[in-house]
Amino acid sequence: MRPTIFALATAPGRAAIAVVRVSGPATAAMLTALSGALPPPRRATLKRLRRADGLTLDEAVTLWFPGPHSYTGEDAAELHLHGGAAVIAGVAEALAHLGARLAGPGEFTRRAFEAGRLDLDQAEAVADLVEAETAAQARQALAQLEGALGQRYRTWRERLARALALLEAAVDFPDEDVPADVAARAAPLVDGLVAELKAALADAGRGVRVREGYRIAIVGAPNAGKSSLLNALAGRDAAIVTPGAGTTRDVIEVALVLAGHKVLLADMAGLRPTVEPVEAEGVRRARAWAGAAALRLWIVDAADAGGAWREGESLARAGDVLVLNKIDLGCAADAAEARRAAARLGLAVLEVSALKGVGVEALAEAVSARVAAELSGADCPPVTRQRHARLLGDALGHLERARTAMPAPELAAEDLRLAAAALARITGRIGAEDVLGVIFASFCIGK
Ligand code: GDP
């Protein structure tokens, strides 16, 4: 018999109430032992909880969820206790004494998945909803939990199955006139899927950025004012500001909420040629982070006509922002070379004084507008994790191979089967055990 598990479902620490969750075949017996009798199903019932020796543990609201209509699909219960550490410990001890064991991370949700109550993408959405810090993250996770993402993959798989059935007919009846005709009918189905998967992959960044945070790199030469700008934008002293060049060696990330979205703003080593090994490593990390970021703010000291801007030019992309800093120093903010580069590369130009806070508000607004424009979408994005993007890419590869193999229906059919398997792995109905382990390990205990 599978073990009955329990865990504190609310955050540890002193609180008005604490919820202990129990799930597994022995739940009914344990609830009866603790509270005297089973309460009616799904009805909050006040009960005195007692240990085996009769000692009262708490007066608690109990909920009994007989399987299969419970979160896990098994018999399950919730005990709403007074939130003190001693009460929780007493009930935990009593449950352990009755034979329950402490649940591992995500074990309740894993059981729900195994019972077919949730698909894998929905289980991921449960974790995302628990982790959500912004309204946008919560909205996206909820849409995914309600099946918006899974539905899209199901439709793709159904269309794939139709194309596959056509090709299989061509393989099964090679002597009749069907084959050529049938392959011709399968081709447009595959073409349509290829186009849609390509579009979904092109849009993959949106969902991942909503979930993980929209990354903005502050890049520029040493002493241009990167740390000062990070602090001004973040509204607190997150980075160390010093007059000496080359102080920031590691990437310093600060999480902010802009336009309702999570944003990761990063300060990093100034880009300049160096032979000093620690600084060189800092520059390498800065380049890697900035290259992968969604947006780069290029800081140039306005008094520095050239701007050690050349160091980063290869990383700049259209849509990035050139920030001319230190305009309070009174020098005409010419920075001619940087401005020319900005015009050539399609960068917006803004003037600020990070030290005095001038122009910082306008910069924050410009960045917010950009984040909102990029991340807001009418629908639930098709991809919210790297895992989805990887499998979607695999499926697309197989579909494209199937398309070229079409004159040989048996080969094309095999590629379609592989594409279907890759799509199925996203919602997890075909799942490798190790993938499940990794996904559920990232959950909190009690979920
Ligand atoms: P980083 O090396 O690019 O991170 O630059 P910091 O933020 O550490 O700043 C380098 C120096 O420039 C410090 O002494 C700052 O006080 C100064 N600084 C930064 N921004 C401004 C500004 O807008 N105006 C003036 N006058 N000085 C600034």
Side-chain angles (χ1 to χ4, degrees):
M1 197 159 58
R2 73 191 297 180
T4 295
I5 53 172
F6 75 96
L8 183 65
T10 42
R14 216 156 59 97
I17 58 169
V19 177
V20 168
R21 203 176 209 187
V22 186
S23 178
T27 303
M30 290 178 185
L31 194 54
T32 309
L34 278 176
S35 69
L38 271 185
R42 293 175 297 281
R43 191 93 62 76
T45 310
L46 190 65
K47 291 274 193 179
R48 184 171 287 260
L49 304 185
R50 287 181 216 273
R51 270 192 345 201
D53 63 5
L55 186 98
T56 299
L57 293 165
D58 195 13
E59 189 141 274
V61 170
T62 59
L63 280 159
W64 158 234
F65 303 105
H69 305 293
S70 66
Y71 180 71
T72 55
E74 311 176 307
D75 282 353
E78 278 177 21
L79 309 172
H80 294 230
L81 312 172
H82 288 99
V87 175
I88 298 166
V91 170
E93 231 166 75
L95 282 166
H97 186 73
L98 289 167
R101 82 158 160 75
L102 197 60
E107 199 167 357
F108 291 92
T109 306
R110 182 166 187 152
R111 287 189 174 191
F113 168 72
E114 284 166 359
R117 311 261 314 154
L118 291 174
D119 283 339
L120 195 53
D121 57 298
Q122 290 175 306
E124 288 174 331
V126 170
D128 292 348
L129 200 51
V130 173
E131 298 288 329
E133 296 165 309
T134 65
Q137 288 173 321
R139 239 186 349 263
Q140 175 167 300
L142 202 56
Q144 186 170 328
L145 180 59
E146 286 172 341
L149 191 139
Q151 182 53 38
R152 195 183 306 219
Y153 287 98
R154 248 188 312 285
T155 318
W156 282 334
R157 287 218 312 276
E158 281 161 18
R159 284 161 56 192
L160 245 174
R162 275 207 298 283
L164 186 58
L166 287 169
L167 289 176
E168 281 171 344
V171 176
D172 290 346
F173 305 101
D175 296 335
E176 293 157 48
D177 285 339
V178 230
D181 173 45
V182 148
R185 276 162 57 206
L189 281 176
V190 176
D191 287 342
L193 282 167
V194 165
E196 284 183 37
L197 262 55
K198 272 193 181 149
L201 270 173
D203 191 26
R206 180 162 59 104
V208 176
R209 283 172 184 164
V210 167
R211 202 176 76 79
E212 294 180 355
Y214 182 94
R215 289 169 194 269
I216 302 177
I218 301 183
V219 253
N223 265 339
K226 295 179 297 299
S227 305
S228 305
L229 186 72
L230 176 96
N231 291 339
L233 284 169
R236 60 195 153 101
D237 287 340
I240 304 156
V241 179
T242 57
T247 31
T248 309
R249 259 80 189 270
D250 218 336
V251 178
I252 297 174
E253 290 180 28
V254 175
L256 313 173
V257 177
L258 288 181
H261 288 284
K262 177 172 175 179
V263 168
L264 291 171
L265 190 62
D267 177 22
M268 48 196 67
L271 302 184
R272 66 168 172 186
T274 175
V275 287
E276 202 275 305
V278 179
E279 190 183 357
E281 174 59 17
V283 169
R284 193 193 63 75
R285 289 183 192 188
R287 287 183 157 277
W289 207 100
L295 175 66
R296 282 144 298 277
L297 305 180
W298 294 93
I299 303 253
V300 169
D301 185 332
D304 174 2
W309 155 261
R310 271 157 258 125
E311 286 304 313
E313 192 162 332
S314 61
L315 288 174
R317 263 176 255 157
D320 284 355
V321 181
L322 172 64
V323 181
L324 294 176
N325 189 30
K326 309 195 187 182
I327 54 164
D328 58 295
L329 289 181
C331 54
D334 58 356
E337 189 183 327
R339 281 182 192 271
R340 272 197 299 279
R344 192 172 67 245
L345 296 164
L347 272 55
V349 181
L350 286 172
E351 297 179 7
V352 306
S353 165
L355 190 67
K356 309 274 187 222
V358 179
V360 173
E361 192 66 25
L363 175 61
E365 273 168 28
V367 170
S368 291
R370 166 77 184 264
V371 173
E374 259 187 66
L375 297 190
S376 316
D379 53 348
C380 174
V383 166
T384 59
R385 296 188 178 224
Q386 307 293 358
R387 187 183 77 83
H388 307 159
R390 213 174 39 247
L391 289 166
L392 202 55
D394 289 350
L396 180 61
H398 293 304
L399 281 177
E400 284 175 331
R401 253 194 307 284
R403 191 62 188 81
T404 27
M406 211 57 107
E410 63 280 9
L411 293 183
E414 184 50 25
D415 280 319
L416 288 192
R417 270 182 225 111
L418 291 171
L423 287 183
R425 252 177 241 122
I426 295 176
T427 47
R429 284 297 138 219
I430 311 173
E433 208 39 33
D434 50 340
V435 175
L436 297 182
V438 170
I439 289 170
F440 287 104
S442 68
F443 277 59
C444 52
I445 290 179
K447 246 300 154 204

